[in-house]
Structure formats: C-alpha cells, structure tokens
Amino acid sequence: MNSELVIDVQPSEVSIALLEDKNLVELSKEGRLADSFSVGDIYLGRVKKIMPGLNAAFVDVGYGKDAFLHYLDLGHQFVSLQNFLKQALADRKKTPVISRKMMMPDIEKNGEIAGILTVGQPIAVQISKEPISTKGPRLTSELSIAGRCIVLVPFSEKISVSSKIKSGEERTRLRQLVQSIKPKNFGVIIRTAAEGKRVAELDNELKLLLKRWDDAVDKIQQSKGVCLICEEMGRTLGILRDIFDSNFQSIHVNNEQYYREIRDYVALIDPEKKGIVKYYDGDLPIFDKFDITRQMKSSFGRTVSVKSGAYLIIEHTEAMYVIDVNSGTRTRSSEGQEMNALEVNMAAANEIVRQLRLRDMGGIIVVDFIDMQKGEHRQKLYDHVRELMEKDRSRHNILPLSKFGVMQITRQRVRPATRIAVEETCPTCYGRGKMAPAILFTDQLEQKIAFMVNDLKIKRFKLHIHPFVEAYVKKGFYSLYWQWKFRYGFGVKVIPSQRLGFLQYKFYDVNNEEIDLSEE
C-alpha cells in the first residue's frame, strides 16, 4: 500500500489529505487563526466555577466558552502537579525540578472536586477534546508531551508499551532501555514507532521532550495570567508524527514555508525519506491535480455510492450517526438473496470504514446492514469490519451484529467531524431562481478582465473557472482565451477549478491572493 500526503495551504486554513493507493481516506482541516485549538496544547488556566453536582469544574483557558474539567481527568498525581505549579509561581527566579521533588500520594479515586479545587486557583491543563458544537474544550490535568517514538508523562513513574508491539522480547527490551535513560518522576509511553529503535535514537527524542517541558515551566514563570505554555505541533506535523512509515511515497505541499518545515521534520525523523517532500507550484489547484476535489464531492453528503449500484444513507443527529445500507440497483447474485446481501454488506463495510476516517466521525455510530439469515455470514461481516478498523488510529469498539442486522460502533471523538458542503448555491442568482442568460457569462468574464487590466492596472493574474467553462473558453484555433490574451496581455491565465460551481469564477494575483470582483 502506497501512502501520499497532499497539503493545501490557504490564507485561513490548511487542508490535509491522506491518500492510500490514490484513494482519499483521511481529510483534516487546520485553522491558521490565532484562536484555533489543537488537542495536546497545554495551558496555564484559572478555575472559573466549581460544579459539585457534576463533580467537575469550568476553567478559563482564554477561549470564548469555559473549558470542562472532570474530577476523573485530574490525574492520580494532581496534588504533586499543583505543588510544583505553586512553587514555580511563588519564586519566578528559581526553576523547580521535578526529579528533585517528592511525589505526593495519589488523589482518591472517588473524591470530590470541591475538596481539591477552589475558584480563582491557577491550574495546568491540557486540551483533550476540541470545542464541539456548543461545548467548550475538554481538559485533562494528566499532562503528556508526545514525540514520534515516545510520550513523556510528568509526575509519573510508569512505563507503558504500545499493545501493537506484539513481540514479548521487544517489549521487554524497550521497557528496560527506557527505564535506564528516563529521569526520576517522569513516566514514558512507548509508541509503536519505537519498535526496533536504538537507545541513542530514543535518548535524543527524550531529551527533546524534556526540553519542551523545561520551556513550558519557563513560560509558567513568565506568565501574567491565563496563557498557552506548551503548544502541540500543528496538525500537519502531528499527522506525520503519528502515521509516517516506510509506505509513504510522497508528500506534496503548495506553500514554501510549510514545505521547508515538513522537509526539515522528515529529515529529522527519517533522513533517507527527505526527498519525498515535494513543493508544488503548478497553476492547477493542488487538490484538483491529485483528484482530491472530485473524491471529496463524491464522498461527502447524505448519499454515498458503493460499487455495483449499492449505496449508503448517512444521517447525523445530535447523539449519533445512523448509516443505512441499500442494495440499490445491484444485480442479484446467482446464488440467491443471502449471498447477494453478504456481497453488498462486505462492499458497504469497506466504504463505511473509509467514511469513518474520512469524516472523522465520533461518538456512537449505528449501521443498519441488509439482513442475513446465516450466523456464519454475520460473523464473517463482523470479522471483516474489525480487520478494516485496525488501520484506524482513533480508539474504537465494535459490537457484533444484532438479530436485526444492526452493528453498533463507538469511536473516539476529539474534534468536530469534517463536513464538506457538496450542494452548491447558484453563484449567479444566489438562490433566487432567476439569473442572466448563461450565454452571456463569457461576456461578463471579459468585462471583469477589462476592469482588472484597464482600471485596476493589474496585468498578471489567474482566472479560475469551472472545467466545463474553461474547455469552452479554450475551444478552437482562435479561442476566446487567445482573444483575451491578445486584447489584454499575455499575463492573463485561465485555470480550471473543480471547487467552483458552473457559473462561478475567482481571480487571483501572482501571490495567489484572491481578488474579489464578485457582485450580486
């Protein structure tokens, strides 16, 4: 299986597409705004409100809505963390060192949050879930700093090994190796990527993570209130850190700054793979170039097609996702209805698992498969879904099919599900239902080009239009495209864009910044 990462950097957000054998399987969007949250960010917050009935507190971390912290998310060594924090804030000239501190007893498992926290108290917290719907971020005080091979856990002595490392000998080797290099009062989670790594590699990464912790302590001592003290790497590098392996063939990015950052990071974690990072500077939008836009349009929405005429209906409610499998126009199997149902369900399972990753669905997912009478067929489908879900990095749980043919899946939700609008509002009539004659659209485009060149004095620019319109504009020996070039200069470029509606257009300058000439 060949994996590719395609990164589209726009002024307001970064879109990250993961392809497996050219098929889109994951799509993430990362805001470039200052108030965007990332799971893993560590904040110095302030307790805003205690809720004894919920056994939880609301904490101010600088977001519009107060973040939620439950008693069970305080962590066993919360008292040790708070003592450390108090010392760091009390004496801002002397940096406390964890390895020299005495660990306090664990907090009570069934204790009360009102007995530990007080309103106005400073507290170190980490984002465990991004804001979803009307809810603020979800927090934890069990801090951790993630690297590629290991995760550093302050105020812990525990060493854990990923369950995906199956070899008992390798698990023992890694545990002993980490035990010999880790400082006192720090725990370590050994990730799957650590398998086969040498002590020098793990030691270098451990030192980097310890440096990030020391920097966070420095920011606490320099703080004047609520602030970000340890920032998780961006989602682009985070995805690379979590999934990068020998299957990666190429990483394409259309922004020079991101290109340099990603190239440097890949050179750090796998110097031999540095050459797979490629800067894309073509005129065609990068997602169109790699056929991602078309796959996005066909994969999002209420109805999703499956091969051989079958299709899925995906509904999202406040509490769960409901997926209905339909055989549609699929030709029945010569072996009867039972085999036809099995074949449709197996094909649908492939698409359902892909949709879970692609849309990043979380919470409860209920799938209504086509009824099958034979127990061995229901078991075969269940085993097939479990095998497919092994590639999913989010924690999940799958229950066998009920006697009604319903499968229940729970999947970890740490950020809002990805939603792509596949239905387009008419860019000409803006939903009113009436518009100027379509045959005059090219005349309208020429007026805009003339305004750009003659009035705004912009000689070099790109006009993005729908591929069908672009084909019409460039049709023939003496096409409209060449007429415009001779009339308004050779700085005029016409680019097809699958993102745009049929009679939609956008102008971009030489720096790929949009020039807004649209009007109702």
Side-chain angles (χ1 to χ4, degrees):
M1 179 182 65
N2 294 331
S3 298
E4 293 178 278
L5 208 61
V6 181
I7 302 157
D8 181 19
V9 182
Q10 297 297 327
S12 61
E13 68 177 11
V14 180
S15 299
I16 307 153
L18 175 63
L19 305 178
E20 291 180 356
D21 294 332
K22 304 298 182 183
N23 294 318
L24 179 64
V25 294
E26 287 189 26
L27 181 67
S28 300
K29 291 182 180 292
E30 176 187 17
R32 301 183 69 185
L33 304 178
D35 60 351
S36 61
F37 272 83
S38 179
V39 172
D41 286 350
I42 302 177
Y43 285 81
L44 177 62
R46 191 169 297 278
V47 178
K48 200 76 174 288
K49 189 186 298 184
I50 305 292
M51 304 294 290
L54 298 174
N55 203 17
F58 286 98
V59 180
D60 177 16
V61 291
Y63 186 64
K65 286 184 175 292
D66 292 333
F68 182 80
L69 175 66
H70 194 272
Y71 178 86
L72 296 177
D73 293 321
L74 291 177
H76 300 298
Q77 282 292 315
F78 179 74
V79 177
S80 298
L81 172 62
Q82 281 304 107
N83 289 344
F84 182 86
L85 184 61
K86 285 180 184 177
Q87 184 179 348
L89 292 173
D91 187 354
R92 296 177 182 263
K93 294 182 178 180
K94 184 178 180 181
T95 303
V97 180
I98 290 182
S99 57
R100 297 176 186 171
K101 299 296 176 186
M102 181 179 295
M103 301 282 276
M104 303 299 291
D106 291 355
I107 62 174
E108 294 181 26
K109 186 175 182 181
N110 299 314
E112 300 289 335
I113 199 165
I116 294 183
L117 296 182
T118 58
V119 174
Q121 175 181 343
I123 182 174
V125 289
Q126 187 167 26
I127 305 292
S128 60
K129 281 187 181 180
E130 290 184 5
I132 296 175
S133 185
T134 59
K135 301 175 183 177
R138 180 75 182 256
L139 303 176
T140 178
S141 277
E142 199 160 12
L143 309 181
S144 62
I145 303 175
R148 172 161 167 75
C149 298
I150 57 178
V151 179
L152 184 68
V153 184
F155 303 101
S156 173
E157 285 289 352
K158 186 177 180 181
I159 298 177
S160 304
V161 184
S162 169
S163 59
K164 293 184 179 179
I165 299 178
K166 302 299 183 182
S167 169
E169 183 179 339
E170 178 64 7
R171 293 171 66 88
T172 302
R173 183 189 76 89
L174 289 171
R175 194 185 299 274
Q176 293 175 345
L177 188 154
V178 170
Q179 182 66 53
S180 67
I181 61 175
K182 82 170 188 65
K184 183 183 177 183
N185 295 340
F186 280 98
V188 172
I189 300 171
I190 302 172
R191 309 184 72 178
T192 311
E195 189 169 11
K197 297 294 184 182
R198 297 172 298 173
V199 62
E201 296 174 274
L202 298 181
D203 187 48
N204 287 337
E205 183 166 308
L206 180 62
K207 288 176 180 176
L208 290 174
L209 298 181
L210 288 168
K211 175 67 166 57
R212 290 182 63 191
W213 169 255
D214 291 339
D215 291 343
V217 176
D218 289 341
K219 288 184 180 179
I220 289 175
Q221 295 187 301
Q222 296 167 13
S223 69
K224 297 181 179 179
V226 173
C227 66
L228 175 65
I229 59 173
C230 183
E231 187 173 9
E232 171 73 346
M233 64 177 61
R235 194 171 297 181
T236 308
L237 296 183
I239 288 177
L240 274 177
R241 179 192 66 199
D242 293 341
I243 67 175
F244 187 86
D245 59 24
S246 59
N247 292 325
F248 263 85
Q249 298 300 311
S250 56
I251 300 171
H252 302 273
V253 59
N254 63 348
N255 178 279
E256 287 192 45
Q257 178 187 344
Y258 275 70
Y259 163 72
R260 289 192 294 269
E261 290 178 2
I262 294 169
R263 183 190 58 189
D264 292 345
Y265 183 72
V266 172
L268 179 66
I269 62 176
D270 192 346
E272 294 181 0
K273 286 281 187 177
K274 180 180 177 180
I276 70 173
V277 184
K278 300 170 184 176
Y279 174 60
Y280 176 79
D281 60 353
D283 290 331
L284 201 65
I286 189 169
F287 272 16
D288 290 5
K289 171 70 174 178
F290 294 95
D291 196 36
I292 295 169
T293 304
R294 184 192 62 78
Q295 292 191 57
M296 287 166 54
K297 296 279 187 181
S298 64
S299 298
F300 287 85
R302 182 173 178 267
T303 303
V304 178
S305 297
V306 184
K307 66 178 183 179
S308 305
Y311 63 95
L312 309 175
I313 301 292
I314 303 177
E315 297 280 5
H316 183 205
T317 70
E318 185 67 23
M320 65 180 69
Y321 287 88
V322 180
I323 303 176
D324 184 32
V325 178
N326 294 274
S327 57
T329 59
R330 191 190 190 293
T331 305
R332 297 198 178 277
S333 170
S334 58
E335 299 183 37
Q337 169 61 22
E338 179 74 8
M339 287 304 299
N340 183 70
L342 176 61
E343 291 171 8
V344 171
N345 285 340
M346 295 289 277
N350 293 330
E351 182 61 30
I352 288 168
V353 172
R354 173 175 172 262
Q355 287 289 326
L356 296 185
R357 295 175 64 190
L358 185 58
R359 303 189 188 208
D360 203 7
M361 297 184 194
I364 301 172
I365 301 106
V366 177
V367 185
D368 181 15
F369 284 103
I370 299 173
D371 289 343
M372 296 182 293
Q373 302 301 318
K374 295 184 179 181
E376 59 265 31
H377 289 167
R378 292 196 293 271
Q379 184 64 38
K380 183 177 181 180
L381 177 60
Y382 172 62
D383 293 339
H384 183 56
V385 173
R386 290 187 62 188
E387 182 182 349
L388 293 171
M389 289 289 286
E390 287 180 359
K391 298 178 183 177
D392 197 332
R393 290 178 287 120
S394 296
R395 290 198 301 268
H396 57 269
N397 189 28
I398 308 167
L399 296 183
L401 272 76
S402 70
K403 64 179 180 180
F404 300 117
V406 173
M407 179 179 288
Q408 299 171 69
I409 302 171
T410 61
R411 188 173 183 271
Q412 181 187 25
R413 176 168 61 181
V414 296
R415 58 179 62 91
T418 303
R419 297 186 182 182
I420 303 293
V422 295
E423 295 179 348
E424 300 167 348
T425 300
C426 174
T428 305
C429 74
Y430 293 88
R432 293 193 297 263
K434 294 183 179 180
M435 54 183 254
I439 194 67
L440 301 180
F441 179 62
T442 53
D443 294 342
Q444 181 187 6
L445 290 179
E446 184 166 358
Q447 291 172 9
K448 300 291 184 182
I449 293 172
F451 179 74
M452 289 272 291
V453 174
N454 299 328
D455 292 19
L456 300 182
K457 305 301 181 183
I458 300 176
K459 303 297 184 181
R460 296 176 60 203
F461 56 86
K462 300 173 185 177
L463 169 60
H464 287 219
I465 51 179
H466 190 277
F468 290 175
V469 180
E470 186 261 354
Y472 173 78
V473 166
K474 292 185 177 179
K475 179 182 177 182
F477 175 72
Y478 192 54
S479 63
L480 279 173
Y481 177 57
W482 281 104
Q483 292 178 42
W484 292 347
K485 276 184 170 290
F486 286 124
R487 206 170 292 161
Y488 302 106
F490 283 80
V492 178
K493 283 189 176 183
V494 175
I495 309 296
S497 176
Q498 297 176 14
R499 290 183 176 179
L500 299 181
F502 186 60
L503 297 182
Q504 195 174 4
Y505 61 88
K506 288 188 178 182
F507 286 92
Y508 293 88
D509 61 19
V510 291
N511 297 318
N512 285 326
E513 297 289 336
E514 184 178 352
I515 306 169
D516 188 8
L517 296 182
S518 61
E519 61 183 14
E520 295 194 14

